[in-house]
Amino acid sequence: MAGPKGTYDVLPGTPFGASSSVREALLAPARLAGYAYAEAPVFESTELFSRGVGESTDVVTKEMFTFADRADRSLTLRPEGTVGVLRAALDAGLHKGQLPVKLRYAGPMFRAERPQAGRYRQFQQVGLEALGVDDPALDAEVVALGWQAYAELGLRQVRLQLTSLGDARCRPAYRAALAAHLTGLDLDEDTRRRAQLNPLRVLDDKRPEVQAQLADAPLMVDALCDPCRDHLTAVTDGLAALGVPYEPAPRLVRGLDYYMRTTFEYVHDGLGAQTAVGGGGRYDGLSEAIGGPPLPGIGWALGVERTMLALAAEDVPAPQEPGLAVFVVPLGAAAKARSVGLVGDLRRAGIAADLAYGDRGMKGAMRAADRSGAAYAVVLGDRDLDAGEVQLKDLRAHAQVAVPLEGLVRHLSADDTGGTQ
Ligand code: AMP
């Protein structure tokens, strides 16, 4: 029985089985940079997303999972994480304290997209937000933390594309110039409608026949006002100082409406039709759009599945959870009773331990020990119990020594077997 269309299950041995370790690894650089863990609800009022993500976006117009609760309030499964985290931070008054407010999050997002490789209806993102400070050095930090996340996972083929989308001073005039330019082109009805709603969206139309016509279209980076230009220069200087290479991407437009100034995407060419593994930008108008005070912000979201597809494409193993150190094999009823306490002692000492449950006999239990991936088997027979010792089997070196039962935890701790914890 399969799950709903566009979903997948995370289980050992499945393509996204390493999700939890990958999420943690992707957020590790942010944790070290002072981004605190945040969680907002998986559903919010529909209005929050239509105001925050933007009425002109595909996400809001076509892709939201929206439903009515029993009191007929319209709710929506979050299609992205920024709006909810910002709402939560404002609700808690964090913006009245120390700035910037630095938050990181991880969790499932929901978009009713047409499923394909790398595109799901429930997918996972990790993200971070830095709120309350408009400082290009902070933009550079944010962009670099995403870059570092991929690099530390071992990915070598991620590219950073970056541009500025201007601000309320320079974007309106540019938008009008672009709209005027687009009316002179031979575009289909659908694209014309899109151009009216948000002409910038037409710029990143992937169809070659549209791109061919856009060769002479005006670009935002050529129309930036002085403060936006200075901001962009300071961001790229910061990235240079942090050793993060980037590609100018003057046609980069992102799926959500609220971005301004610094806008970026991490792309990977090994994913087929989907190239974006993550992206983000500055969203200084978002707080007001959802009814909050003026509050600048910048953040990113990285797609967990696409990161794992990129790892597979580059043949880089995903980070694994620490495995078992010890597998205890009791032989006989008295040994079994003693073993139950023994695995408890081992775990309390920080040594990852499991026990052969069920009565499968010596052979079956040793096979289970081998399959468990543990470094050691501890075999405890009734005779060992009488002698006050256990047989400690090194499952890789196939060597065996007798160790006093009471000294086993100490022996294994000294041996650093629990070092994976
Ligand atoms: P966005 O919020 O659209 O900027 O998306 C940020 C990242 O989330 C993208 O770069 C993708 O890696 C990932 N992502 C977005 N939509 C999906 C989806 N439907 N399925 C899987 N990953 C997605």
Side-chain angles (χ1 to χ4, degrees), residues 36-236:
Y37 184 68
E39 247 178 64
V42 165
F43 59 87
E44 298 268 5
S45 78
T46 301
E47 197 194 350
L48 182 74
F49 296 118
S50 50
R51 290 217 255 156
V53 177
E55 300 276 12
S56 86
T57 60
D58 284 350
V59 168
V60 168
T61 53
K62 301 187 206 153
E63 297 171 1
M64 295 205 300
F65 282 102
T66 296
F67 58 97
D69 72 5
R70 284 162 193 272
D72 227 18
R73 283 176 290 249
S74 182
L75 299 172
T76 292
L77 295 180
R78 62 183 182 198
E80 58 95 59
T82 300
V83 178
V85 167
L86 175 60
R87 184 213 41 77
L90 292 171
D91 191 35
L94 297 188
H95 60 296
K96 295 177 188 148
Q98 171 86 354
L99 299 178
V101 177
K102 288 178 160 188
L103 300 170
R104 67 179 204 276
Y105 64 85
M109 306 294 159
F110 306 84
R111 295 183 196 174
E113 296 195 84
R114 202 159 45 79
Q116 57 185 82
R119 206 206 271 157
Y120 305 92
R121 291 187 168 176
Q122 174 170 341
F123 59 99
Q124 307 175 54
Q125 286 182 341
V126 300
L128 62 74
E129 316 294 344
L131 309 171
V133 172
D134 178 10
D135 178 347
L138 185 59
D139 298 36
E141 167 178 296
V142 164
V143 175
L145 287 171
W147 179 260
Q148 197 186 334
Y150 295 120
E152 286 182 9
L153 273 175
L155 289 171
R156 292 289 168 267
Q157 292 164 30
V158 174
R159 292 181 288 120
L160 166 62
Q161 303 193 323
L162 181 122
T163 194
S164 171
L165 289 182
D167 66 5
R169 262 164 304 197
C170 52
R171 191 152 69 194
Y174 165 72
R175 193 182 152 120
L178 178 63
H181 181 86
L182 294 178
T183 50
L185 303 183
D186 178 25
L187 300 170
D188 59 88
E189 213 26 62
D190 220 33
T191 313
R192 275 187 189 288
R193 238 192 327 271
R194 212 140 46 89
Q196 266 170 6
L197 219 51
N198 183 354
L200 275 77
R201 303 293 304 283
V202 179
L203 278 185
D204 93 325
D205 196 310
K206 301 283 184 284
R207 291 171 297 176
E209 66 274 19
V210 177
Q211 276 305 323
Q213 293 198 61
L214 292 172
D216 299 327
L219 295 174
M220 184 71 240
V221 277
D222 298 327
L224 294 175
C225 57
D226 288 343
C228 281
R229 178 160 303 289
D230 293 347
H231 187 96
L232 178 59
T233 305
V235 174
T236 56

Side-chain angles (χ1 to χ4, degrees), residues 308-374:
M308 285 193 263
L309 293 171
L311 286 168
E314 288 194 33
D315 236 350
V316 176
Q320 296 298 321
E321 306 221 321
L324 275 185
V326 179
F327 196 88
V328 178
V329 176
L331 305 172
K336 173 73 177 290
R338 180 66 186 85
S339 295
V340 169
L342 184 61
V343 289
D345 293 342
L346 288 164
R347 291 171 187 161
R348 269 191 297 279
I351 298 170
D354 200 359
L355 171 64
Y357 290 106
D359 189 13
R360 351 181 186 186
M362 173 77 171
K363 220 163 143 208
M366 284 312 295
R367 201 173 315 123
D370 277 326
R371 286 196 187 145
S372 76

